[in-house]
Amino acid sequence: MAKMKFGTKAVHAGVEPDPSTGAIMTPIFQTSTYVQEEPAKHKGYAYARGANPTRNALQKSIAALENATFALCFSSGMGATDTVIKLLNQGDEVITSNDLYGGSYRMFKRVYERLGIKFHFIDLTHAENINQYINSNTRLIWLETPSNPLMNIIDIEACVAIAKKNNLLVAVDNTFASPYLQSPLDLGADIVMHSVTKYLSGHSDVIMGALATNNEKLFQDLAFIQNSCGAVPGPQDSFLVLRGIKTLHLRMERHCQNGRKIAEFLKNHPKVGKVYWPGFSDHPNHAIAKKQMRDFGGMLSFTLKDDSLEKAFTLMKSVQLFSLAESLGGVESLINHPASMTHASIPKEERIKNGLVDSLIRLSIGIEDSEDLISDLEQALKHV
Ligand SMILES: *Cc1c(COP(=O)(O)O)cnc(C)c1O
């Protein structure tokens, strides 16, 4: 069969009718172990930390969506990231960005620096900055684009070019874009990481992570670490994500359409200051976003002209359709205040220096009708 397009892969990849019954949907194989005919003679399944058929179907589906040969699913996005860092040895160094997901920053800084791995947190929106930090211990470039919450864009191909010259691995956290919008492996990255919790799952009911790669040796090393350390997802969650992925392309299409309409509405609103959304032609890395992404997604942030914590809190209290919550990528729209929620652990001066001002608000735009989302923001902005 010809190479399938994205929507067809979302519906079909990885899922075969169940051989015992013909069930069209992969069953939830809720089992910890598998009966063997004789010692060490089994059907590819010995113990469920190593493999489970529901998880395998999901891994095939995610590999197909990322144009990868191999994928592994994990108990959380952090479990997936943790497994990549465990490829490294004491004394190794990593170059990463200075506006990472807070949980990744915390793991790198507070867990792995203690174990002897060094991280350089730098501005990766100018890829050439990497050159200054490369030395004989450097092993990995870890990047995340678009970034949270300011929607900075990193040029994946430019980072890969520098990495290839210096024999470094490149891993990309592709959570914000989802495989629908961005294919880092096609741009030369070695590993793609996902918080499956977000767009892939899409219904705010699962915590899960994933890695994908085309490199068999890397895949085997990652699978060995996963089986040794144990961060595997359960079959029920694997089933929920298999189901979620079947509508990934439809959901993403609507997330992008709604994102665009709301970004434009906010940009024209007299009480709104800056709007951070990579689809605007005056976004500092719009050209790169256009080159490496298929559309601009449903994540955006904005500030109030009258920048204060009080006004931001009033706005968050006044919305009726948006729910005040961390996380993103679900069907329902969420509103979040980085300064007091996701980024509260950053000292105030540093936070403001990096553009995370008191009134900065992040939206995860869901798949509701955009007219309703806009009227909700309109009425809420009247209160500030
Ligand atoms: C949520 C998130 C993670 C962590 O994933 P969990 O599934 O919560 O462990 C990592 N990176 C990004 C960009 C995220 O949004």
Side-chain angles (χ1 to χ4, degrees):
M1 201 181 138
K3 208 165 152 246
M4 284 189 279
K5 292 200 168 25
F6 193 91
T8 312
K9 289 195 279 192
V11 174
H12 291 287
V15 180
E16 303 278 346
D18 174 50
S20 65
T21 61
I24 195 164
M25 194 54 197
T26 306
I28 303 166
F29 283 90
Q30 192 77 47
T31 189
S32 61
T33 193
Y34 308 86
V35 177
Q36 308 187 13
E37 283 170 40
E38 6 176 309
K41 188 168 174 212
H42 55 73
K43 302 177 168 116
Y45 297 99
Y47 183 64
R49 178 164 17 80
N52 175 284
T54 320
R55 174 165 33 124
N56 273 2
L58 174 60
Q59 290 177 163
K60 282 188 190 151
S61 164
I62 291 177
L65 297 177
E66 282 293 355
N67 298 331
T69 322
F70 309 101
L72 289 165
C73 289
F74 292 82
S75 50
S76 67
M78 295 323 296
T81 302
D82 179 60
T83 303
V84 175
I85 305 303
K86 283 179 178 150
L87 291 168
L88 307 180
N89 295 311
Q90 202 171 27
D92 285 348
E93 297 190 12
V94 180
I95 298 169
T96 185
S97 62
N98 57 6
D99 66 342
L100 276 186
Y101 173 69
S104 307
Y105 176 81
R106 181 176 59 192
M107 182 200 289
F108 295 170
K109 198 79 201 155
R110 298 199 31 206
V111 180
Y112 281 106
E113 283 205 343
R114 193 162 50 73
L115 297 177
I117 293 168
K118 188 167 175 187
F119 294 85
H120 300 275
F121 300 93
I122 70 166
D123 176 7
L124 286 181
T125 58
H126 300 279
E128 66 278 9
N129 289 349
I130 292 171
N131 288 309
Q132 286 167 252
Y133 293 87
I134 296 179
N135 62 42
S136 59
N137 294 324
T138 314
R139 290 278 310 280
L140 171 71
I141 299 173
W142 179 277
L143 58 91
E144 185 185 319
T145 181
S147 77
N148 175 25
L150 292 179
M151 309 302 295
N152 285 318
I153 301 291
I154 295 170
D155 187 339
I156 299 173
E157 266 184 318
C159 293
V160 165
I162 296 169
K164 290 253 156 85
K165 255 191 230 149
N166 294 278
N167 216 7
L168 310 176
L169 290 174
V170 176
V172 178
D173 180 337
N174 204 25
T175 301
F176 263 46
S178 90
Y180 178 82
L181 293 179
Q182 182 168 277
S183 304
L185 299 180
D186 291 351
L187 302 172
D190 301 285
I191 301 172
V192 170
M193 174 266 166
H194 277 285
S195 171
V196 174
T197 311
K198 316 295 168 49
Y199 286 108
L200 282 165
S201 150
H203 296 74
S204 311
D205 51 9
V206 170
I207 296 283
M208 196 188 290
L211 299 175
T213 182
N214 281 316
N215 179 323
E216 184 164 9
K217 168 79 169 63
L218 264 181
F219 166 71
Q220 272 161 4
D221 291 349
L222 292 164
F224 174 80
I225 295 167
Q226 178 180 44
N227 189 40
S228 304
C229 298
V232 297
Q236 170 91 26
D237 284 354
S238 301
F239 175 86
L240 285 171
V241 176
L242 270 174
R243 169 195 260 238
I245 283 176
K246 288 184 188 287
T247 55
L248 178 63
H249 52 306
L250 301 176
R251 287 187 281 111
M252 290 310 299
E253 214 174 283
R254 180 64 83 88
H255 284 300
C256 292
Q257 277 170 16
N258 283 357
R260 176 183 302 276
K261 285 182 190 157
I262 287 162
E264 279 162 6
F265 161 76
L266 289 169
K267 197 171 195 178
N268 294 319
H269 197 284
K271 288 188 181 168
V272 170
K274 265 190 162 166
V275 182
Y276 296 92
W277 180 66
F280 288 133
S281 56
D282 60 356
H283 179 286
N285 273 342
H286 175 68
I288 292 159
K290 229 173 132 174
K291 184 183 75 164
Q292 73 187 14
M293 296 172 72
R294 296 177 195 99
D295 202 339
F296 304 107
M299 293 302 299
L300 57 96
S301 296
F302 65 99
T303 63
L304 297 172
K305 273 210 181 112
D306 191 354
D307 176 55
S308 73
L309 274 180
E310 211 188 348
K311 296 269 177 189
F313 276 65
T314 305
L315 180 75
M316 287 181 292
K317 267 196 226 120
S318 307
V319 287
Q320 291 165 359
L321 211 53
F322 283 82
S323 301
L324 179 65
E326 296 192 3
S327 199
L328 61 109
V331 290
E332 57 285 281
S333 292
L334 303 181
I335 189 166
N336 167 302
H337 184 241
S340 64
M341 295 168 73
T342 44
H343 294 66
S345 59
I346 305 174
K348 183 167 176 177
E349 276 152 51
E350 201 177 319
R351 171 164 68 71
I352 289 183
K353 201 179 71 196
N354 293 332
L356 290 162
V357 299
D358 286 343
S359 71
L360 184 79
I361 285 170
R362 188 189 83 180
L363 301 178
S364 171
I365 306 297
I367 64 168
E368 300 94 334
D369 284 288
S370 59
E371 292 84 350
D372 292 332
L373 295 173
I374 288 172
S375 8
D376 190 29
L377 291 170
E378 202 157 33
Q379 67 77 25
L381 280 162
K382 288 199 177 114
H383 298 272
V384 306

